């Protein structure tokens, strides 16, 4: 199970007399909801991982959304995640090595 990749959001409402959504396009100033992800949804994703882990002990959970550091990754593992999705950035490999090293030290033989 994946928890949580993207949530729906609206960028904002312009503080003008007609209070239109921003961004808007064309003469009719139309807009749509977009995806919010990354650090902005980490609290939501941590809650979801924790809730799933508590409701379904041992069920595999892929944590996504806001894993941009070893600390963030470890938070998800402590919340109950069994796998992590990290963004494809130049520091991702180093991030994974830190997380794997800590996980192995912390959990030892309890988890493969």
């Amino acid at each position: 199970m994946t928890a949580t990749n993207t949530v729906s959001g609206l960028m904002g409402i312009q503080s003008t007399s007609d209070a239109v959504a921003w961004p808007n396009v064309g003469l009719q100033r139309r807009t749509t909801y977009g995806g919010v992800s990354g650090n902005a949804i980490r609290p939501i994703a941590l809650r979801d991982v924790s809730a799933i882990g508590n409701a379904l002990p041992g069920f595999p959970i892929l944590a996504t959304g806001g894993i941009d550091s070893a600390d963030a990754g470890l938070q998800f593992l402590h919340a109950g995640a069994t796998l992590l999705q990290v963004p494809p950035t130049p520091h991702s490999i180093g991030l994974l090595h830190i997380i794997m090293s800590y996980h192995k030290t912390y959990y030892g033989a309890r988890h493969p």
Side-chain angles (χ1 to χ4, degrees):
M1 177 176 297
T2 300
T4 297
N5 191 28
T6 306
V7 297
S8 182
L10 178 63
M11 279 299 284
I13 304 291
Q14 291 180 336
S15 300
T16 60
S17 61
D18 54 355
V20 296
W22 179 87
N24 55 64
V25 178
L27 295 175
Q28 297 176 342
R29 296 161 52 174
R30 294 182 181 223
T31 191
T32 187
Y33 299 110
V36 179
S37 61
N39 291 337
I41 69 161
R42 184 183 305 145
I44 298 166
L46 281 167
R47 180 212 54 215
D48 290 349
V49 168
S50 177
I52 294 166
N54 288 328
L56 302 168
F59 195 81
I61 304 167
L62 170 61
T64 65
I67 304 172
D68 66 344
S69 67
D71 182 62
L74 293 171
Q75 289 178 46
F76 280 97
L77 292 173
H78 290 303
T82 48
L83 299 166
L84 304 174
Q85 177 185 342
V86 297
T89 62
H91 77 280
S92 294
I93 297 299
L95 170 69
L96 290 174
H97 284 293
I98 292 168
I99 292 170
M100 288 169 41
S101 174
Y102 179 85
H103 191 268
K104 190 174 188 178
T105 301
Y106 181 80
Y107 288 108
R110 291 186 284 168
H111 289 71

